[in-house]
């Protein structure tokens, strides 16, 4: 029976994929990218176990790797399977993002839906569909479990999807299941020397066969559309082979499911250069279209806030003599925001619940009761009078039950004060995120298991009801859901600027050129750039960039909400450099990566969505370098005034971090831009 089906399938495959007689003879189902360079093949072994393989330009890059899931009781769905049918489709469509690093997104892929059925001889064999979408720059693969008599409610105890890489590429990785979520410094090793449990995105660089330093195939493993499932990390099963590892519930089960159900997409991004990974849009294309019909109220913007002073230890979140969130402080920040055109002012520590051990699970937070020295009505209306808005703050301590109980009233309260963005926070560690069980007990979960994945989604949906957008700190990783919920404006999810504060241990000068090619593949990050007082902690050069390097972050680390993170008084002596922060847009028409090597350096140019202006950011690690790039991204024949914010001669992140120079020059697309980057330095340019 299995053989008959398979032969039938092979014949169908030959027809479906046009003239590929060689493939038709090899017992494989093959689907190629629109440009033909990337090819995914699915095979069934003699015992009916599905595997996939991926090749680029005819060379295998992912060797045959297993597919399937293990259900409750160790029952594997993914053995004794036969092919019941295959449908293929070629799609080419373009859609527009309400905000983004690009305005339009092209979704161009070839899809194969491979319908598998268990060959058990039983009357209602279980069915599972493996869907492959092959883009020119990567593979998306997922499981679908259609509604069927033999499978209704089910539990996934393990996922068998494997990634068997050929060769031993260089890998940039952080560990999964660590206490500090995703907030680790990336390590660079050969893949065989990476850890045993890795978060995604996992970025890989293969040696370039032609020896070109910035080229050579780059890949990243990640996932898309994580909507109602556990996040996938990668569990080592061989020197260069990994298997999907789903974050478990406290019950041990990984995913509770009911048909019809589907997994997120497992993605393998593929590029000729590391920059190709940065501009890859597969996760957006694989995520469902917006569930919010009118998105006009979702506005990108720039903000300042009562924030860094707490991280420096000058003010406190808790009540008392150094309380940061006072009415007077807030009004002073609002005046500064109003004077310099910031659309929002964040105030952290305004609400009751911080006193005591807030970071030990947030049981005491009230999201509707301000501290007595913070007059919410007065501050919010003062902000509106001054042409800016309050940005709300809900630190939950990772306590979803406490937050969900208050969410609707808390969002309504903020909406009634004209707040359109709330920063939420989930400071909690490891598998310690409270959940109230059906018996009323408190269980503890991971913040990227299915329970919290669903919590983050509920919070986005409840916020959207009140026309509120979110900036989530300590979030689960990004998987393209900003398309589905465009009110998910930005998130943290890595070591941001705050780790350069006295408590954080510092990020190191290679952190940003690493983040661009690792964490940033997930989507926007609220890194909170713009520290000008780079030695504020009094222990030498604590912020590991130059001042020009801080400006570059506004272009390099994409976020539709960008903070000017320093204290207003630290901007006053450098108003000329501050002008770049005032000018730089947060919503882009297009993005191009001009050069880069993971962990070493990167240059990105982006075109403003609301003008013809371009902006460029470049950053190096601890090594001084020269940026030398053609300006052929500019419109041909147009003259631009380039305002160049660069490191001064002798600048150095450790010894002389504030030394910068601002030049202006007329340029055209025919010119090149050359500038020296100091150790830890950077470059920021506005082309008007
Ligand atoms: C951690 C967040 O990342 C940070 O931005 C915030 O200030 C603190 N939590 C307090 O909520």
């Amino acid at each position: 029976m299995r053989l008959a089906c398979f032969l039938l399938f092979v014949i169908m495959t030959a027809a479906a994929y046009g003239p590929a007689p060689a493939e038709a003879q090899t017992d494989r189902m093959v689907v190629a990218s629109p440009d033909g360079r990337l090819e995914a093949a699915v095979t069934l072994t003699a015992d009916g176990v599905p595997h996939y393989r991926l090749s680029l330009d005819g060379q295998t890059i992912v060797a045959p790797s297993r597919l399937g899931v293990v259900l409750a009781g160790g029952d594997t769905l993914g053995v004794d399977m036969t092919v019941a049918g295959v449908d293929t489709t070629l799609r080419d469509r373009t859609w527009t993002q309400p905000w983004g690093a690009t305005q339009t997104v092209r979704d161009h892929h070839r899809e194969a839906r491979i319908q598998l059925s268990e060959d058990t001889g039983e009357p209602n064999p279980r069915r599972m569909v493996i869907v492959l979408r092959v883009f020119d720059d990567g593979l998306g693969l997922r499981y679908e479990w259609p509604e069927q008599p033999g499978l209704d409610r089910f539990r996934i105890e393990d996922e068998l999807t494997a990634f068997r890489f050929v060769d031993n590429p260089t890998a940039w990785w952080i560990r999964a299941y660590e206490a500090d979520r995703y907030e680790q410094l990336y390590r660079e090793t050969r893949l065989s020397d990476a850890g045993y449990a890795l978060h995604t995105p996992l970025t890989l660089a293969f040696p370039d066969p032609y020896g070109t330093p910035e080229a050579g195939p780059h890949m990243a493993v990640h996932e898309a559309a994580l909507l109602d499932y556990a996040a996938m990390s990668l569990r080592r099963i061989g020197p260069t082979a990994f298997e999907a590892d789903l974050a478990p519930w406290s019950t041990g089960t990984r995913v509770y499911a009911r048909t019809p159900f589907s997994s997120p997409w497992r993605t393998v991004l593929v590029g000729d250069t590391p920059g190709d990974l940065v501009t890859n849009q597969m996760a957006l294309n694989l995520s469902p279209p917006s569930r919010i019909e009118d998105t006009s109220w979702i506005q990108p913007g720039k903000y300042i806030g009562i924030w860094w002073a707490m991280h420096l230890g000058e003010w406190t979140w808790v009540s008392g003599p150094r309380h940061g969130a006072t009415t007077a402080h807030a009004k002073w920040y609002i005046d500064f925001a109003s004077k310099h055109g910031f659309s929002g002012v964040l105030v952290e520590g305004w609400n009751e619940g911080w006193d005591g051990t807030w970071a030990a699970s947030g049981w005491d937070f009230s999201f509707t009761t301000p501290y007595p020295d913070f007059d919410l009505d007065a501050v919010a209306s003062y902000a509106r009078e001054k042409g800016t808005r309050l940005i709300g703050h809900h630190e939950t301590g990772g306590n979803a039950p406490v937050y969900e109980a208050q969410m609707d009233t808390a969002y309504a309260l903020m909406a009634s004060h004209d707040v359109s963005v709330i920063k939420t926070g989930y400071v909690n560690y490891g598998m310690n995120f409270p959940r109230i069980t059906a018996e009323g007990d408190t269980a503890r979960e991971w913040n990227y298991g299915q329970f919290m994945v669903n919590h983050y989604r509920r919070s986005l949906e409840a916020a959207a009801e009140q026309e509120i957008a979110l900036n989530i700190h300590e979030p689960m990783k990004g998987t393209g859901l900003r398309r589905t919920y465009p009110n998910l404006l930005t998130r943290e999810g890595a070591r941001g600027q705050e780790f350069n504060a006295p408590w954080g241990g510092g990020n190191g000068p290679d952190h940003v050129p690493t983040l661009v090619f690792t964490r940033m593949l997930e989507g926007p990050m609220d890194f909170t750039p713009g520290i000008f007082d780079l030695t504020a902690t009094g222990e030498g050069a604590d912020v590991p960039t130059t001042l020009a390097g801080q400006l570059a972050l506004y272009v390099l680390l994409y976020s539709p909400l960008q903070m000017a993170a320093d204290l207003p008084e630290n901007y006053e002596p450098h108003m000329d450099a501050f002008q770049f922060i005032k000018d730089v847009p947060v919503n882009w028409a297009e993005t191009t990566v001009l050069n880069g090597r993971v962990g070493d350096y990167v240059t990105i140019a982006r075109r403003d969505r609301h003008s013809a202006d371009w902006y460029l950011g470049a950053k190096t690690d601890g090594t001084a370098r020269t940026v030398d790039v053609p300006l052929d991204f500019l419109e041909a024949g147009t003259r631009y005034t380039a305002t160049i914010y660069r490191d001064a001669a002798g600048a150095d992140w450790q010894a002389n971090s504030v030394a910068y120079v601002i030049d202006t020059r007329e340029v055209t697309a025919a010119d090149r831009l050359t500038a020296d980057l100091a150790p830890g330095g950077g470059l920021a340019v506005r082309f008007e």
Side-chain angles (χ1 to χ4, degrees):
M1 149 96 160
R2 181 184 310 146
L3 185 66
C5 270
F6 195 67
L7 283 177
L8 171 69
F9 169 71
V10 167
I11 294 161
M12 285 169 44
T13 308
Y17 292 95
E23 289 296 354
Q25 288 158 16
T26 59
D27 296 359
R28 293 189 304 153
M29 303 161 246
V30 181
V31 53
S33 58
D35 68 1
R37 289 186 64 195
L38 208 58
E39 222 177 59
V42 171
T43 49
L44 284 183
T45 63
D47 332 332
V49 176
H51 286 70
Y52 76 100
R53 190 178 75 81
L54 191 62
S55 61
L56 175 67
D57 298 331
Q59 301 290 317
T60 297
I61 51 176
V62 180
S65 299
R66 189 165 178 184
L67 296 169
V69 286
V70 180
L71 307 186
D75 159 26
T76 300
L77 189 54
V79 287
D80 291 326
M81 306 298 281
T82 65
V83 177
V86 177
D87 306 302
T88 64
T89 318
L90 177 65
R91 294 198 186 90
D92 190 358
R93 51 198 175 191
T94 298
W95 54 280
T96 304
Q97 306 196 78
W99 51 264
T102 64
Q103 185 150 13
T104 55
V105 179
R106 184 175 181 199
D107 181 3
H108 190 199
H109 66 261
R110 191 169 274 124
E111 176 184 276
R113 299 176 57 79
I114 301 170
Q115 291 154 37
L116 300 178
S117 175
E118 271 183 337
D119 187 17
T120 55
E122 302 289 326
N124 286 315
R126 294 183 300 186
R127 291 180 287 121
M128 172 166 87
V129 186
I130 292 172
V131 188
L132 305 178
R133 285 191 189 166
V134 188
F135 299 77
D136 290 345
D137 55 3
L139 166 71
L141 174 161
R142 81 167 178 189
Y143 304 95
E144 292 178 4
W145 297 280
E147 204 169 349
Q148 52 190 294
L151 198 63
D152 178 26
R153 281 184 189 281
F154 65 109
R155 301 202 315 252
I156 299 175
E157 305 293 345
D158 202 3
E159 190 179 308
L160 300 172
T161 313
F163 303 88
R164 292 185 178 277
F165 296 103
V166 296
D167 217 325
N168 192 3
T170 307
W172 288 266
W173 54 275
I174 54 173
R175 288 183 207 279
Y177 302 115
E178 291 288 303
D180 53 7
R181 306 163 302 262
Y182 305 96
E183 295 173 357
Q184 304 162 45
L185 291 173
Y186 282 81
R187 298 202 32 207
E188 175 184 337
T189 65
R190 301 298 290 271
L191 184 57
S192 59
D193 298 326
Y196 279 75
L198 310 178
H199 275 306
T200 74
L202 168 68
T203 300
L204 304 172
F206 293 82
D208 175 35
Y210 308 105
T212 318
E214 283 180 14
H218 280 70
M219 287 167 56
V221 183
H222 192 41
E223 62 182 308
L226 174 53
L227 273 161
D228 180 13
Y229 208 82
M232 174 185 80
S233 53
L234 299 170
R235 178 199 307 145
R236 179 180 290 286
I237 53 170
T240 60
F242 291 82
E243 189 173 65
D245 190 27
L246 308 179
W249 288 73
S250 52
T251 58
T253 288
R254 312 283 172 145
V255 177
Y256 291 92
R258 182 170 199 175
T259 57
F261 196 72
S262 48
S263 72
W265 295 89
R266 279 64 189 92
T267 56
V268 180
L269 287 64
V270 180
D272 293 324
T273 66
D276 291 343
L277 302 180
V278 176
T279 49
N280 186 297
Q281 293 181 312
M282 261 168 44
L284 285 169
N285 279 324
L286 293 170
S287 291
S290 180
R291 293 182 180 171
I292 300 172
E293 231 167 83
D294 171 17
T295 57
S296 57
W297 52 270
I298 305 169
Q299 293 297 332
K302 279 178 282 188
Y303 71 103
I304 59 165
I306 297 183
W307 180 78
W308 187 232
M310 275 89 92
H311 287 274
L312 292 178
E314 292 175 11
W315 289 351
T316 61
W317 287 277
V318 301
S319 62
R322 290 188 295 120
H323 187 212
T326 66
T327 304
H329 289 161
K331 287 188 170 176
W332 184 60
Y333 269 71
I334 289 166
D335 289 340
F336 186 85
S338 168
K339 183 168 169 200
H340 296 291
F342 287 84
S343 59
V345 177
L346 168 73
V347 179
E348 293 200 359
W350 66 276
N351 59 317
E352 295 213 337
W354 290 87
D355 300 327
T357 52
W358 66 269
S361 295
W363 293 100
D364 299 328
F365 276 121
S366 162
F367 301 103
T368 47
T369 320
Y371 274 126
D373 54 352
F374 184 74
D375 185 337
L376 175 61
D377 297 339
V379 170
S381 54
Y382 188 68
R384 292 313 278 151
E385 269 166 41
K386 293 282 186 165
T388 183
R389 284 178 197 229
L390 190 59
I391 292 187
H393 185 237
H394 291 167
E395 173 55 65
T396 69
N399 196 318
V402 165
Y403 193 35
E404 288 194 21
Q406 299 183 45
M407 216 177 238
D408 291 337
T409 41
Y411 292 155
L413 174 71
M414 285 295 132
S416 72
H417 285 88
D418 240 337
V419 167
S420 60
V421 176
I422 296 175
K423 171 177 171 180
T424 57
Y426 292 83
V427 173
N428 205 327
Y429 301 92
M431 193 186 192
N432 193 38
F433 287 67
R435 170 176 67 88
I436 307 299
T437 67
E439 294 73 38
D441 298 330
T442 304
R444 304 279 171 175
E445 307 293 345
W446 289 100
N447 90 330
Y448 38 83
Q450 189 182 18
F451 170 71
M452 287 302 289
V453 166
N454 286 332
H455 164 75
Y456 288 118
R457 206 192 55 236
R458 279 194 290 273
S459 143
L460 284 164
E461 285 168 353
E465 289 286 310
Q466 307 284 344
E467 302 201 340
I468 282 177
L470 297 182
N471 166 9
I472 310 176
H473 277 231
E474 301 79 34
M476 68 174 198
K477 65 190 175 184
T479 60
L481 292 185
R482 63 190 186 280
R483 177 182 187 187
T484 316
Y485 298 103
N487 65 326
L488 171 44
L489 270 183
T490 190
R491 72 177 76 216
E492 187 194 37
R495 287 169 71 102
Q497 186 87 271
E498 67 191 35
F499 279 85
N500 297 322
W503 62 263
N507 282 332
D510 58 351
H511 186 56
V512 168
T514 308
L515 275 189
V516 169
F517 301 104
T518 53
R519 157 63 184 83
M520 298 309 293
L521 307 184
E522 292 174 24
M525 177 174 177
D526 187 37
F527 181 88
T528 67
I531 298 299
F532 278 16
D533 187 357
L534 298 152
T535 56
T537 61
E539 292 163 19
D542 296 294
V543 176
T545 76
T546 60
L547 193 146
Q550 286 290 311
L551 298 181
L553 305 184
Y554 289 88
V555 181
L556 294 175
L557 301 175
Y558 168 62
S559 178
L561 256 194
Q562 286 283 28
M563 187 178 199
D566 210 339
L567 313 179
E569 61 265 36
N570 291 337
Y571 291 126
E572 298 292 357
H574 304 291
M575 276 295 152
D576 54 352
F578 189 61
Q579 189 60 41
F580 183 81
I581 300 181
K582 290 168 70 168
D583 291 338
V584 68
V586 286
N587 198 11
W588 305 100
E590 54 183 306
T591 287
T592 167
V593 182
L594 302 178
N595 63 31
R597 206 161 59 205
V598 189
D600 294 347
Y601 61 89
V602 57
T603 306
I604 294 179
R606 305 191 197 261
R607 182 163 65 82
D608 181 17
R609 198 178 274 203
H610 303 292
S611 73
D613 296 355
W614 280 84
Y615 288 77
L616 176 147
K619 182 85 191 69
T620 178
D621 59 4
T623 305
R625 294 177 207 273
T626 302
V627 173
D628 178 20
V629 287
L631 299 180
D632 52 6
F633 53 86
L634 297 174
E635 194 181 87
T638 303
R639 292 195 74 74
Y640 292 81
T641 304
T643 310
I644 303 166
Y645 302 75
R646 61 181 173 84
D647 294 322
D652 182 317
W653 73 274
Q654 283 172 297
N656 188 19
S657 53
V658 178
Y660 63 89
V661 174
I662 305 173
D663 312 310
T664 49
R665 246 171 74 188
E666 298 290 301
V667 297
T668 71
D671 293 322
R672 293 186 78 84
L673 175 75
T674 309
D676 291 334
L677 307 183
L683 170 73
V685 186
R686 176 183 189 187
F687 298 94
E688 259 175 289

